Amino acid sequence: MKLYAFVATFITACLSFAAYADQPIIIKFSHVVAVDTPKGKAAVYFKRLAEEKTKGRVRVEVYPNSQLYKDKEELEALQLGSVQMLAPSLAKFGPLGAKEFEVFDLPYLFDDYAALHRVTEGAIGQGLLKKLDSKGIVGLAFWDNGFKQMSANKPLHMPADFRGLKLRIQSSKVLDAQMRALGATPQVMAFSEVYQALQTGVVDGTENPASNFYTQKMHEVQKYLILSDHGYLGYAVIVNKQFWEELPPDIRAQLQDAMKDATRYANAIAAVENSTALEAVRKSGKTQVIVLMPEEKKAWKKALIKVHQDSGSRVGKDLLQSIYKETGFNPAKL
């Protein structure tokens, strides 16, 4: 009887293990923006590729629009293993202790996507992602959203027009310095709270690529959108380090392939999505779109160059100089 009981227990354990082994690996992918934004679409695209390439051994559950966690909560949730994958904006890594990522918040650092991608897709970008290892995070890729525009309930043509305004920012010392250099008062706020804050007058304006501005319906509560292209908003796709390293090597390789394809897709659609969103804002008739004149944009750049000078010690002077060299940016010419 004892032998029979042992055999029965062994068979039950084997069957249970086989049943468990047949279960797909779940990746919870949480983000804070709408489904129909560049990041939202890229997350869904990655889900499809990951499930196809692993032949169903992985299932990706995408949670958009802060369904699981808000801005300030999501990184802690990843480190605790409550979610496995995020694509937070690059400004989020400063409060985590990776201050170097705030270099992407510097105003007018990149003239175009070509200059940007020489950094994010090259040795500088890979070096930055490696800095996340010590935080229990593996950085997989950079995804674009696009270049940011200012919005407010008054037209903003010159730096003097910013005086007295309260403008929402992400938690970033560089973005704080940017708004103060323009004469505004920065207000740190979760992305999910911005629409209501604009609607109720808690803040007077904010900065966003057109896709975020439109999909979050900010055009309903902002009178002016100023095409300043003053800064870049991008994301780092990241995973929990322990989860990633415990994956079977073949699955990890398949997911890396899926991420490469999803990154190409994300960065290819970003500019198109923002252009489409901007046209939708114009057609709504609710927000007046202002195109800065060359002399106005030059005044913005001159007012903001101080942010570069003051941020070197925070983001790293060597890093900043290496990006200048890669992009051709020369603050002395402003």
Side-chain angles (χ1 to χ4, degrees), residues 33-204:
V33 299
V35 175
D36 51 347
T37 57
K39 178 164 66 173
K41 291 184 177 183
V44 173
Y45 190 72
F46 170 74
K47 166 185 167 65
R48 179 168 69 80
L49 291 178
E51 292 174 354
E52 286 177 358
K53 288 178 183 289
T54 63
K55 295 181 170 54
R57 292 170 67 194
V58 168
R59 190 171 81 229
V60 180
E61 299 175 353
V62 180
Y63 297 91
N65 265 328
S66 304
Q67 287 178 5
L68 292 184
Y69 301 101
K70 294 182 180 180
D71 286 340
K72 294 179 180 179
E73 305 164 347
E74 61 177 9
L75 278 169
E76 182 180 1
L78 182 88
Q79 290 175 305
L80 293 173
S82 301
V83 292
Q84 289 72 47
M85 184 173 286
L86 303 173
S89 59
L90 301 174
K92 302 279 176 42
F93 297 108
L96 192 67
K99 298 178 292 185
E100 298 91 343
F101 279 81
E102 289 186 4
V103 74
F104 290 102
D105 294 333
L106 284 170
Y108 293 113
L109 182 59
F110 305 105
D111 284 335
D112 51 35
Y113 285 105
L116 166 71
H117 291 157
R118 287 199 295 274
V119 173
T120 57
E121 296 175 4
I124 296 173
Q126 291 307 304
L128 285 168
L129 291 178
K130 285 296 293 180
K131 291 182 180 294
L132 299 175
D133 284 359
S134 63
K135 314 296 181 185
I137 293 169
V138 173
L140 298 179
F142 289 97
W143 284 1
D144 293 340
N145 184 321
F147 290 98
K148 294 183 290 186
Q149 322 302 340
M150 288 286 188
S151 69
N153 285 326
K154 61 177 285 190
L156 304 174
H157 289 278
M158 299 294 283
D161 297 328
F162 283 82
R163 289 176 191 154
L165 294 182
K166 294 176 293 183
L167 298 181
R168 180 265 173 178
I169 60 165
Q170 299 185 74
S171 180
S172 162
K173 297 294 185 183
V174 173
L175 294 179
D176 184 285
Q178 169 193 277
M179 293 307 188
R180 294 186 188 280
L182 290 168
T185 301
Q187 302 284 320
V188 175
M189 185 178 296
F191 186 68
S192 58
E193 299 170 3
V194 177
Y195 177 89
Q196 187 175 6
L198 292 169
Q199 185 182 42
T200 57
V202 172
V203 293
D204 302 304

Side-chain angles (χ1 to χ4, degrees), residues 134-319:
S134 63
K135 314 296 181 185
I137 293 169
V138 173
L140 298 179
F142 289 97
W143 284 1
D144 293 340
N145 184 321
F147 290 98
K148 294 183 290 186
Q149 322 302 340
M150 288 286 188
S151 69
N153 285 326
K154 61 177 285 190
L156 304 174
H157 289 278
M158 299 294 283
D161 297 328
F162 283 82
R163 289 176 191 154
L165 294 182
K166 294 176 293 183
L167 298 181
R168 180 265 173 178
I169 60 165
Q170 299 185 74
S171 180
S172 162
K173 297 294 185 183
V174 173
L175 294 179
D176 184 285
Q178 169 193 277
M179 293 307 188
R180 294 186 188 280
L182 290 168
T185 301
Q187 302 284 320
V188 175
M189 185 178 296
F191 186 68
S192 58
E193 299 170 3
V194 177
Y195 177 89
Q196 187 175 6
L198 292 169
Q199 185 182 42
T200 57
V202 172
V203 293
D204 302 304
T206 185
E207 57 173 12
N208 268 298
S211 59
N212 280 1
F213 185 78
Y214 181 69
T215 57
Q216 294 295 317
K217 303 185 186 302
M218 295 180 194
H219 63 291
E220 296 179 353
V221 289
Q222 291 277 264
K223 294 179 181 179
Y224 298 94
L225 181 67
I226 298 88
L227 302 188
S228 50
D229 290 325
H230 64 277
Y232 167 71
L233 179 63
Y235 312 106
V237 188
I238 58 176
V239 290
N240 176 281
K241 185 177 181 179
Q242 181 178 347
F243 168 81
W244 185 251
E245 292 179 345
E246 290 177 354
L247 287 173
D250 61 327
I251 284 186
R252 194 161 56 237
Q254 289 159 351
L255 291 176
Q256 286 172 324
D257 283 345
M259 184 56 63
K260 286 180 182 177
D261 290 345
T263 299
R264 282 193 288 268
Y265 170 79
N267 294 348
I269 68 170
V272 176
E273 291 290 318
N274 281 299
S275 179
T276 301
L278 180 59
E279 186 58 29
V281 170
R282 283 192 169 107
K283 286 183 177 178
S284 75
K286 296 178 179 179
T287 298
Q288 181 180 335
V289 176
I290 296 174
V291 179
L292 290 178
M293 300 297 288
E295 60 271 21
E296 292 172 338
K297 184 171 280 192
K298 187 174 183 180
W300 284 48
K301 288 182 177 181
K302 283 191 172 182
L304 289 168
I305 196 58
K306 183 178 185 296
V307 183
H308 286 246
Q309 296 164 348
D310 293 346
S311 298
S313 59
R314 179 168 179 82
V315 303
K317 292 180 180 179
D318 290 343
L319 172 62

